[in-house]
Amino acid sequence: MQGPDTGTYAEAADTAAPQALQVADRFHLWQNLASAVEKTVASQHSCLRDLPPTAPEPEPAWETPIAAASGEDTESDDPTGKFAERARAHHALVHHLLAQGMGLRHNARHLGWGRHTVQRYARAARWQDMVKGRKRQLPSTLDPFKPYLADRWAETDGNVTVPGLHREITARGFRGHYSTVRDWIRRDLPQQEDFTPGPPRLSIRQVTGWLTRHPATLTEEEKLHRKAVLDRYPELASAAELTSSFAEMLTTLSGDRLPEWITEATDADLPAISSFATGLNSDFDAVTAGLTTDWNSGPVEGTVHRIKMLKRQMFGRAGFGLLRKRVLLS
């Protein structure tokens, strides 16, 4: 499964080296399946706006602020708000890890943050220093549309949905995110007592990521969203189950289960995934070998990408001789 020319590639390989074992590349197998899942999600996208809201994200245990050991009184005018709380927790966490002897780079890898982000928290003596200056209002992409939003809110007495307003100003040229509109309406417009902003429509990329990423890499909020999607849409639940079983087959090299998987995928009534499964039959032996043996084309793909990078870097700047030397010596 090297790409769109798989059949030609396989035929050429048979002719040139009939004794060789052809092995499908696992990266491309997964990439093609992810593309099929994305098409499946796209076919359900018109329904995703009706997804019921999920429960709020549980606060991670490590975000509980660590009490100051110095015993000094905190300032009475400490910053407040979501960013301030996050800055307080993250500052405490970084300094706690530094106190245990963990360096900046190790700290960044451990937290999954950028090194410069960790460095800023490490250099700040107090968490309040991370929030200073953030209250200054900067120009917003929403500014030209605020009068329209305020008029629509007033004329409907607040009986209009935030997603509806977002669609209206998007049609008038707004290119910002739904959350920008939602947060401004919550903060600056008079609210009804029972007002609850409607959830935005989930994007195809978001939902595809929830179905194709390893569950351990999902945040608690993403797991809640994923569960809500799968409980609401049986087609996507079926796609998720097929994706998980294929991922298990791929990572455990249990290619002997491939015929069973192809049958299940073909009968699943999911056109994109069924088409992917049918395509596996055209190169069945190579796919089975790819899901069974330790061989993979990762090193070859890396070399090809390196050569392409060098070629792009030198485009129009040197002849073949210099390019050849860079390829051989790098």
Side-chain angles (χ1 to χ4, degrees):
M1 303 298 290
Q2 301 295 326
D5 297 326
T6 300
T8 304
Y9 170 85
E11 183 179 350
D14 278 335
T15 302
Q19 77 285 359
L21 172 66
Q22 295 189 40
V23 180
D25 180 47
R26 289 189 283 275
F27 170 78
H28 285 100
L29 286 173
W30 182 254
Q31 188 179 52
N32 292 342
L33 175 59
S35 177
V37 173
E38 184 174 19
K39 292 177 183 177
T40 302
V41 173
S43 69
Q44 303 291 319
H45 191 226
S46 60
C47 306
L48 292 179
R49 79 166 61 193
D50 300 325
L51 189 69
T54 59
E57 177 184 6
E59 182 180 5
W62 57 262
E63 288 211 6
T64 302
I66 301 174
S70 62
E72 296 179 358
D73 292 336
T74 59
E75 297 182 4
S76 59
D77 59 343
D78 281 349
T80 59
K82 291 183 179 180
F83 179 82
E85 290 302 316
R86 188 163 63 248
R88 182 204 298 266
H90 289 184
H91 181 272
L93 176 63
V94 168
H95 281 266
H96 177 69
L97 294 176
L98 290 173
Q100 293 180 341
M102 187 178 292
L104 290 179
R105 292 182 182 275
H106 190 188
N107 203 320
R109 287 196 299 270
H110 177 74
L111 297 173
W113 299 352
R115 182 170 61 86
H116 293 294
T117 300
V118 174
Q119 192 175 59
R120 286 198 302 272
Y121 279 106
R123 288 177 174 175
R126 301 161 53 253
W127 70 266
Q128 292 89 339
D129 297 336
M130 299 296 298
V131 191
K132 283 184 178 180
R134 294 190 62 90
K135 292 184 178 180
R136 182 170 60 90
Q137 283 286 3
L138 297 176
S140 168
T141 56
L142 188 62
D143 288 344
F145 304 93
K146 288 178 180 178
Y148 174 84
L149 291 173
D151 290 343
R152 288 282 290 123
W153 193 261
E155 71 185 21
T156 61
D157 197 23
N159 292 316
V160 60
T161 65
V162 179
L165 290 175
H166 179 254
R167 287 194 295 273
E168 289 181 26
I169 62 174
T170 297
R172 288 165 170 77
F174 179 65
R175 293 295 177 265
H177 194 268
Y178 162 87
S179 60
T180 303
V181 181
R182 178 199 62 200
D183 294 343
W184 181 77
I185 289 178
R186 281 179 173 177
R187 184 179 63 249
D188 292 358
L189 293 183
Q191 305 296 322
Q192 296 179 344
E193 293 184 1
D194 57 348
F195 169 75
T196 302
R201 180 191 293 189
L202 302 175
S203 72
I204 295 174
R205 185 180 294 272
Q206 274 182 310
V207 179
T208 301
W210 298 339
L211 301 188
T212 56
R213 286 163 52 196
H214 193 288
T217 67
L218 300 177
T219 65
E220 290 301 320
E221 183 179 11
E222 289 172 333
K223 290 176 183 178
L224 290 172
H225 280 301
R226 183 182 189 274
K227 184 178 185 303
V229 167
L230 301 188
D231 289 345
R232 185 74 176 267
Y233 305 106
E235 295 85 354
L236 298 185
S238 178
E241 184 176 351
L242 288 168
T243 303
S244 297
S245 59
F246 191 89
E248 181 181 0
M249 187 166 50
L250 186 147
T251 54
T252 61
L253 298 181
S254 50
D256 55 301
R257 294 163 45 196
L258 181 60
E260 177 186 351
W261 188 90
I262 290 177
T263 300
E264 292 179 1
T266 304
D267 296 340
D269 196 26
L270 301 172
I273 295 180
S274 297
S275 177
F276 166 77
T278 303
L280 298 180
N281 282 319
S282 63
D283 206 13
F284 183 81
D285 291 340
V287 174
T288 301
L291 297 177
T292 306
T293 67
D294 290 327
W295 295 102
N296 71 85
S297 61
V300 176
E301 294 286 341
T303 300
V304 170
H305 283 290
R306 179 175 61 85
I307 292 174
K308 288 181 178 179
M309 178 195 68
L310 293 174
K311 183 178 178 181
R312 285 193 295 268
Q313 287 178 340
M314 298 178 59
F315 181 77
R317 299 182 183 179
F320 178 77
L322 180 57
L323 176 60
R324 178 176 180 273
K325 288 183 178 180
R326 286 202 63 187
V327 170
L328 293 177
L329 297 177
S330 63

